PDB file of all heavy atoms in Angstrom:
ATOM      1  N   SER A 419    -159.242 -43.211  64.501  1.00 92.00           N
ATOM      2  CA  SER A 419    -160.676 -43.178  64.550  1.00 92.00           C
ATOM      3  C   SER A 419    -161.073 -43.290  66.005  1.00 92.00           C
ATOM      4  O   SER A 419    -160.326 -44.012  66.718  1.00 92.00           O
ATOM      5  CB  SER A 419    -161.419 -44.107  63.674  1.00 92.00           C
ATOM      6  OG  SER A 419    -161.136 -45.475  63.964  1.00 92.00           O
ATOM      7  N   GLY A 420    -162.295 -42.994  66.315  1.00 92.00           N
ATOM      8  CA  GLY A 420    -162.880 -43.081  67.790  1.00 92.00           C
ATOM      9  C   GLY A 420    -162.992 -41.797  68.497  1.00 92.00           C
ATOM     10  O   GLY A 420    -163.124 -40.710  67.866  1.00 92.00           O
ATOM     11  N   SER A 421    -163.000 -41.911  69.718  1.00 89.00           N
ATOM     12  CA  SER A 421    -163.383 -40.722  70.596  1.00 89.00           C
ATOM     13  C   SER A 421    -162.052 -39.906  70.862  1.00 89.00           C
ATOM     14  O   SER A 421    -161.402 -39.987  71.889  1.00 89.00           O
ATOM     15  CB  SER A 421    -163.818 -41.277  72.024  1.00 89.00           C
ATOM     16  OG  SER A 421    -164.099 -40.197  72.757  1.00 89.00           O
ATOM     17  N   ILE A 422    -161.804 -39.174  69.796  1.00 91.00           N
ATOM     18  CA  ILE A 422    -160.552 -38.360  69.758  1.00 91.00           C
ATOM     19  C   ILE A 422    -160.974 -36.941  69.747  1.00 91.00           C
ATOM     20  O   ILE A 422    -161.604 -36.450  68.660  1.00 91.00           O
ATOM     21  CB  ILE A 422    -159.686 -38.709  68.637  1.00 91.00           C
ATOM     22  CG1 ILE A 422    -159.395 -40.103  68.639  1.00 91.00           C
ATOM     23  CG2 ILE A 422    -158.452 -37.785  68.647  1.00 91.00           C
ATOM     24  CD1 ILE A 422    -158.682 -40.568  67.352  1.00 91.00           C
ATOM     25  N   PHE A 423    -160.591 -36.120  70.651  1.00 92.00           N
ATOM     26  CA  PHE A 423    -160.880 -34.663  70.672  1.00 92.00           C
ATOM     27  C   PHE A 423    -159.832 -33.907  70.062  1.00 92.00           C
ATOM     28  O   PHE A 423    -160.025 -33.129  69.030  1.00 92.00           O
ATOM     29  CB  PHE A 423    -161.095 -34.189  72.135  1.00 92.00           C
ATOM     30  CG  PHE A 423    -161.316 -32.697  72.168  1.00 92.00           C
ATOM     31  CD1 PHE A 423    -162.422 -32.128  71.491  1.00 92.00           C
ATOM     32  CD2 PHE A 423    -160.481 -31.763  72.758  1.00 92.00           C
ATOM     33  CE1 PHE A 423    -162.632 -30.751  71.455  1.00 92.00           C
ATOM     34  CE2 PHE A 423    -160.703 -30.337  72.828  1.00 92.00           C
ATOM     35  CZ  PHE A 423    -161.809 -29.949  72.201  1.00 92.00           C
ATOM     36  N   VAL A 424    -158.498 -34.172  70.346  1.00 93.00           N
ATOM     37  CA  VAL A 424    -157.324 -33.582  69.707  1.00 93.00           C
ATOM     38  C   VAL A 424    -156.223 -34.529  69.527  1.00 93.00           C
ATOM     39  O   VAL A 424    -155.883 -35.297  70.493  1.00 93.00           O
ATOM     40  CB  VAL A 424    -156.836 -32.331  70.530  1.00 93.00           C
ATOM     41  CG1 VAL A 424    -155.460 -31.818  69.996  1.00 93.00           C
ATOM     42  CG2 VAL A 424    -157.820 -31.229  70.529  1.00 93.00           C
ATOM     43  N   ILE A 425    -155.633 -34.718  68.309  1.00 93.00           N
ATOM     44  CA  ILE A 425    -154.359 -35.417  68.160  1.00 93.00           C
ATOM     45  C   ILE A 425    -153.227 -34.575  68.307  1.00 93.00           C
ATOM     46  O   ILE A 425    -153.213 -33.570  67.490  1.00 93.00           O
ATOM     47  CB  ILE A 425    -154.464 -36.173  66.877  1.00 93.00           C
ATOM     48  CG1 ILE A 425    -155.571 -37.091  66.712  1.00 93.00           C
ATOM     49  CG2 ILE A 425    -153.127 -36.936  66.727  1.00 93.00           C
ATOM     50  CD1 ILE A 425    -155.790 -37.839  65.373  1.00 93.00           C
ATOM     51  N   ASN A 426    -152.369 -34.931  69.125  1.00 95.00           N
ATOM     52  CA  ASN A 426    -151.149 -34.012  69.242  1.00 95.00           C
ATOM     53  C   ASN A 426    -150.052 -34.654  68.340  1.00 95.00           C
ATOM     54  O   ASN A 426    -150.235 -34.729  67.047  1.00 95.00           O
ATOM     55  CB  ASN A 426    -150.662 -33.919  70.611  1.00 95.00           C
ATOM     56  CG  ASN A 426    -151.558 -33.146  71.462  1.00 95.00           C
ATOM     57  OD1 ASN A 426    -152.224 -31.940  71.019  1.00 95.00           O
ATOM     58  ND2 ASN A 426    -151.965 -33.505  72.597  1.00 95.00           N
ATOM     59  N   ALA A 427    -149.083 -35.321  68.780  1.00 96.00           N
ATOM     60  CA  ALA A 427    -148.114 -35.955  68.049  1.00 96.00           C
ATOM     61  C   ALA A 427    -148.435 -37.299  67.444  1.00 96.00           C
ATOM     62  O   ALA A 427    -149.379 -37.888  68.129  1.00 96.00           O
ATOM     63  CB  ALA A 427    -146.743 -36.091  68.751  1.00 96.00           C
TER      64      ALA A 427
END
Side-chain angles (χ1 to χ4, degrees):
S419 62
S421 180
I422 304 166
F423 178 59
V424 172
I425 298 176
N426 294 319

